Amino acid sequence: MANTDLVTYYGQTEKIDQLVEKHGAYLEQLDRKTKLLLRTTLSQYVFMQRICTPDNYLVTEALKDGDFERFLCDGIPEVLINLCSELNGLTVDDAETILEALQYQLRWGNARLLTIQ
């Protein structure tokens, strides 16, 4: 069984420190749905950073490009909108670090989907 307390932030930067300070060391203040949406948004952001220049594509644009409102009955969580605004200016390395942490949390950590076996 995996250790759910594993530290998954390999590239602690000021931006990531701010994220952790506001949402918890394991982003525990974000629910599973928000973490899934953030992971998708950051993946879009990283992909576009490789095509566009960093000045003309923001995390908030990646959120809009995800077109989540099309399938989310209750809309995009306000916390995710605010979080993406705070993450504008994120480097690709920072985004990749957060993606690694989210992947761990969604698969093994505090945001995994629990099922009865």
Side-chain angles (χ1 to χ4, degrees), residues 35-45 62 66 68 99 102:
K35 287 183 180 188
L36 285 166
L37 293 168
L38 179 58
R39 182 176 66 174
T40 302
T41 300
L42 290 176
S43 293
Q44 169 75 16
Y45 176 74
F68 298 128
L99 282 165
L102 289 169

Side-chain angles (χ1 to χ4, degrees), residues 19-108:
L19 176 71
V20 166
E21 185 176 312
K22 186 166 187 175
H23 298 283
Y26 300 98
L27 302 180
E28 62 270 10
Q29 294 178 9
L30 303 177
D31 62 14
R32 180 176 172 79
K33 178 173 103 174
T34 302
K35 287 183 180 188
L36 285 166
L37 293 168
L38 179 58
R39 182 176 66 174
T40 302
T41 300
L42 290 176
S43 293
Q44 169 75 16
Y45 176 74
V46 168
F47 176 78
M48 292 302 292
Q49 285 295 311
R50 298 298 183 199
I51 296 170
C52 303
T53 61
D55 290 340
N56 64 1
Y57 195 76
L58 302 170
V59 177
T60 50
E61 291 178 88
L63 178 61
K64 290 176 190 170
D65 288 347
D67 199 21
F68 298 128
E69 292 175 335
R70 194 175 75 180
F71 58 87
L72 292 176
C73 299
D74 52 354
I76 297 172
E78 190 69 29
V79 67
L80 181 61
I81 294 169
N82 294 337
L83 181 56
C84 287
S85 292
E86 294 165 12
L87 292 176
N88 279 332
L90 195 67
T91 68
V92 170
D93 287 343
D94 287 351
E96 292 282 11
T97 296
I98 296 167
L99 282 165
E100 289 174 11
L102 289 169
Q103 183 63 32
Y104 173 82
Q105 292 168 15
L106 290 163
R107 178 67 175 111
W108 301 105

